Amino acid sequence: MWFLFSRFKGKRWKKYMPEKRLKCLIALEKKVAKKLGVEPLKLEIHEDQNWNCFGAFTVQGNSKKILLHQNMVYEPSLRFHAMETIAHETRHAYQ
């Protein structure tokens, strides 16, 4: 688990491309889901810059996913907000 968290250190996170950051967030979501005993969720970036949320857990039929504001991936200073949002929205899946 610590190996995963070390990826979020400022020096490393700033060097990562958005695709790598998204992969790190997906890995985090898988860890949280496993800890809560739920299936890992699909993680998608919400591309609307004017969307007024950090993230959201959505269910459409049998499809469950987390939408994450694009700034969580593109802005390095928001990396801890991204971590918190992933944990928060995965908790909704547990409930």
Side-chain angles (χ1 to χ4, degrees):
M1 178 83 83
W2 287 113
F3 174 72
L4 176 62
F5 290 133
S6 69
R7 294 178 186 173
F8 289 88
K9 289 184 178 182
K11 290 179 184 178
R12 287 186 179 180
W13 194 257
K14 287 178 185 178
K15 293 178 184 177
Y16 294 156
M17 297 297 292
E19 296 80 18
K20 172 76 173 183
R21 293 176 187 166
L22 182 59
K23 286 182 182 182
C24 292
L25 292 169
I26 290 169
L28 175 65
E29 197 284 326
K30 286 181 181 180
K31 293 272 187 194
V32 174
K34 183 177 180 180
K35 187 85 167 163
L36 294 174
V38 297
E39 289 293 318
L41 301 168
K42 184 175 180 181
L43 189 61
E44 290 183 8
I45 302 300
H46 195 279
E47 298 290 339
D48 182 2
Q49 182 65 32
N50 296 320
W51 192 43
N52 201 19
C53 294
F54 283 154
F57 169 65
T58 66
V59 179
Q60 294 176 339
N62 290 333
S63 175
K64 299 176 183 179
K65 63 184 173 184
I66 294 176
L67 295 174
L68 196 64
H69 194 288
Q70 66 181 8
N71 288 353
M72 298 293 118
V73 176
Y74 294 116
E75 293 294 327
S77 63
L78 297 176
R79 68 191 186 280
F80 294 120
H81 290 292
M83 291 174 73
E84 180 182 25
T85 300
I86 295 295
H88 176 88
E89 299 305 333
T90 304
R91 176 74 180 167
H92 284 303
Y94 171 77
Q95 294 171 337

